[in-house]
Amino acid sequence: MKNLISAMLFLLIGNCPLFSQVLFDVESFNFNQDTIISMSVGDPDQDGKDDIFVTIHNSNLVQKLRNNGSQFTKTPYFSKEKPDIFTILSLNGEDDIVYTEKGKSTVHMMYGKDSYYTEKAYITGVDLGSSVQIKSIGDVQPATNIFSNRFLYAIDQNSNIHILPVYNGSFNSVGSELKASIPLGIPVQQACGYYFENRISRLYIPDTENGKLKALVRKWDNFQGPFFEPNMETIDENLNKPVGCLTYTSGQNGDVMFVIDKGSKSLVEYYLEEGYRKETFSINIDNPSLMSAGLIDNNESVDLIILDGNKLWLLSDLHQKGNPGALLQTLIVEESNNIKNVRVSDFNGDGYSDIIYNLQGSNQIRVMKNDIKSSVSEPTKQLSIHPNPAQDKLDLGFQFEEIWIYTSSGVEVLRQGYSDEVNIGHLPKGVYVVKTKIANRILSETLIINQ
């Protein structure tokens, strides 16, 4: 099932409003079993296109949505004898798969593909201890591929964190001899990590209860000492209720970390290479939790997708060089049930990030393919609407196959096949998205109705 939703972004420069439009083609995939537990994105078959991996309650299968660039094909990926696959993770979107089992204490790892091994070669499993039940897993990797500087972490039901190094080579393995288990003493929602050039890694932990951002520190040049220093350092103690963090490598603008401060309804941006210099943005989000980052709209600054119960918000124009105070907030999804497992990835390789998510208690994945490449950034694919602003009728200047008009919140208000005119006299004053199909191309433009 496919439909189309849009997000309208407004930026006021002087007295001239500029309109930037993000369009998504949305496709849903049903898994005719039980509830989806977890999903991840990665490229184990190393064909240059990220696939989607899904685990399902009471199933022994990991399902794969294979990406061929224009569409996804659902297929079983691997299975176990018992229905106990719980959480799946691809290491930073790359070619390794890590998974855990429900109520168990082992982290399992499978290598993707290289010149020596076929896809899905089982490598290793590390048991964290018989009393441990793993709650979540994650990973941290430096931008450059340096031997042994990549690590996994697992958080158990007692808020202890377990650190496992990953050895990089022709195949990867988990180094169980250097694993460390550290009691956090605080619940963790979304942690994040970063590797510094001075061979120090930090795993950042939002301390929601005490209003602090903390970090576990690993000095990679000290191989004789502990794997991680047991004491957490405090990065920022002036927060209210930080619930999640995310680090982002943004090239010429410098690497940054974003922290959601739920208590003060703010987003804090830290410049990691400038001693944690920070900027704070006010956000109007009631219940923020998880976030993902990517390039969503048609500029070069990072954008965030923030999960807010049953809503997804787009925060754009963050960390924009020369315009540090800019922030645009747009509601792009509102569902009837709560959303979980949000991921951002560029599935078709056009330079713009797509979004996937599923609903709490649902067996359905939704893939939001970002159509901004065709709808915004390529002038040859733009409509020429006359008049614009308009009141009663539209003239598109060519024979289109079909036309759709949507409100700025993505509600379809008009759809028709080709005719000599498009009557819009019944539509109220406002900003709309017009989208048409001609010669197998989708063209779009912003329309203002000012009657």
Side-chain angles (χ1 to χ4, degrees):
M1 179 180 66
K2 291 186 178 181
N3 57 12
L4 179 142
I5 62 175
S6 64
M8 299 295 297
L9 311 180
F10 303 95
L11 177 61
L12 187 63
I13 302 178
N15 294 318
C16 176
L18 302 179
F19 302 96
S20 179
Q21 171 182 311
V22 181
L23 296 170
F24 298 96
D25 291 313
V26 182
E27 188 169 5
S28 298
F29 296 89
N30 289 307
F31 296 86
N32 297 320
Q33 298 180 51
D34 211 328
T35 305
I36 292 171
I37 297 296
S38 71
M39 67 182 184
S40 190
V41 173
D43 185 24
D45 54 11
Q46 292 190 346
D47 64 353
K49 296 181 287 290
D50 283 343
D51 305 311
I52 302 170
F53 302 89
V54 177
T55 65
I56 301 170
H57 180 61
N58 285 335
S59 173
N60 64 335
L61 287 174
V62 170
Q63 298 276 5
K64 174 180 177 179
L65 291 177
R66 187 181 184 279
N67 176 18
N68 68 7
S70 59
Q71 64 182 8
F72 290 92
T73 303
K74 186 169 61 175
T75 180
Y77 184 61
F78 73 88
S79 64
K80 291 179 61 65
E81 293 181 2
K82 297 180 180 180
D84 52 8
I85 298 172
F86 180 54
T87 302
I88 190 167
L89 170 75
S90 57
L91 295 185
N92 281 294
E94 293 190 350
D95 62 351
D96 295 324
I97 291 291
V98 177
Y99 69 91
T100 63
E101 299 174 350
K102 187 175 182 179
K104 302 293 182 63
S105 60
T106 302
V107 176
H108 300 273
M109 184 174 177
M110 296 188 306
Y111 190 67
K113 218 178 195 184
D114 69 1
S115 57
Y116 304 103
Y117 291 87
T118 59
E119 187 179 358
K120 299 186 295 184
Y122 177 79
I123 296 297
T124 188
V126 175
D127 195 327
L128 301 179
S130 59
S131 63
V132 172
Q133 292 185 20
I134 298 173
K135 181 180 178 182
S136 64
I137 52 178
D139 68 320
V140 176
Q141 181 180 4
T144 55
N145 194 21
I146 301 175
F147 177 78
S148 191
N149 288 356
R150 179 182 185 183
F151 62 86
L152 290 169
Y153 64 88
I155 299 175
D156 65 29
Q157 80 280 7
N158 297 317
S159 295
N160 298 312
I161 191 164
H162 307 268
I163 310 294
L164 303 165
V166 177
Y167 296 139
N168 296 322
S170 61
F171 59 89
N172 297 335
S173 61
V174 178
S176 59
E177 73 278 7
L178 286 180
K179 70 179 180 180
S181 298
I182 301 170
L184 296 176
I186 54 176
V188 178
Q189 292 192 35
Q190 184 180 29
C192 61
Y194 183 73
Y195 173 82
F196 290 85
E197 289 186 359
N198 57 359
R199 298 182 66 80
I200 294 177
S201 292
R202 283 182 172 88
L203 181 64
Y204 298 100
I205 310 290
D207 184 350
T208 303
E209 295 178 355
N210 299 301
K212 297 179 181 181
L213 177 66
K214 298 180 178 179
L216 288 168
V217 182
R218 164 58 166 140
K219 296 181 179 179
W220 290 97
D221 57 352
N222 181 17
F223 286 100
Q224 301 303 316
F227 178 55
F228 259 79
E229 296 180 1
N231 298 320
M232 287 191 290
E233 65 179 26
T234 298
I235 303 300
D236 191 343
E237 59 183 10
N238 297 313
L239 300 172
N240 195 314
K241 286 187 177 181
V243 294
C245 70
L246 182 147
T247 51
Y248 188 80
T249 301
S250 56
Q252 62 180 351
N253 288 351
D255 297 346
V256 294
M257 172 171 55
F258 297 104
V259 172
I260 303 173
D261 193 353
K262 179 179 177 180
S264 62
K265 280 195 170 184
S266 61
L267 179 76
V268 184
E269 179 180 17
Y270 298 86
Y271 291 76
L272 294 170
E273 300 162 294
E274 300 179 32
Y276 299 105
R277 177 176 67 86
K278 70 177 184 179
E279 295 178 353
T280 302
F281 304 87
S282 295
I283 55 176
N284 185 23
I285 300 178
D286 293 327
N287 190 31
S289 54
L290 302 179
M291 57 180 162
S292 295
L295 297 177
I296 306 293
D297 61 11
N298 61 329
N299 60 32
E300 296 181 356
S301 63
V302 59
D303 307 304
L304 294 181
I305 298 296
I306 294 185
L307 172 58
D308 172 22
N310 66 330
K311 304 179 181 70
L312 291 181
W313 293 92
L314 170 63
L315 300 186
S316 55
D317 291 346
L318 285 158
H319 193 44
Q320 187 173 11
K321 194 170 185 179
N323 190 17
L327 184 146
L328 302 175
Q329 178 180 326
T330 307
L331 178 64
I332 60 171
V333 173
E334 185 171 7
E335 294 279 4
S336 57
N337 296 326
N338 282 345
I339 298 170
K340 62 178 298 188
N341 295 324
V342 179
R343 298 288 187 273
V344 171
S345 179
D346 179 9
F347 289 116
N348 57 4
D350 64 357
Y352 296 99
S353 298
D354 309 303
I355 303 165
I356 61 171
Y357 66 92
N358 71 288
L359 302 183
Q360 188 81 34
S362 169
N363 65 348
Q364 188 179 85
I365 290 282
R366 303 209 179 175
V367 181
M368 300 173 60
K369 297 294 288 291
N370 191 339
D371 198 29
I372 197 170
K373 183 74 172 178
S374 61
S375 64
V376 174
S377 61
E378 297 183 16
T380 59
K381 291 188 178 182
Q382 290 298 290
L383 289 176
S384 179
I385 298 175
H386 302 287
N388 192 8
Q391 293 183 344
D392 299 316
K393 298 178 182 179
L394 292 182
D395 178 12
L396 273 64
F398 57 83
Q399 290 190 356
F400 55 86
E401 299 172 26
E402 193 167 10
I403 184 170
W404 304 265
I405 297 181
Y406 299 85
T407 67
S408 59
S409 59
V411 178
E412 182 182 298
V413 293
L414 185 147
R415 175 186 293 205
Q416 71 175 59
Y418 176 73
S419 65
D420 292 335
E421 61 185 25
V422 180
N423 192 332
I424 59 170
H426 63 291
L427 298 179
K429 178 180 178 180
V431 179
Y432 296 82
V433 177
V434 177
K435 192 165 187 178
T436 67
K437 182 179 180 182
I438 180 171
N440 293 321
R441 292 191 307 166
I442 299 296
L443 312 181
S444 60
E445 184 58 276
T446 301
L447 168 68
I448 300 174
I449 298 179
N450 62 3
Q451 60 185 357

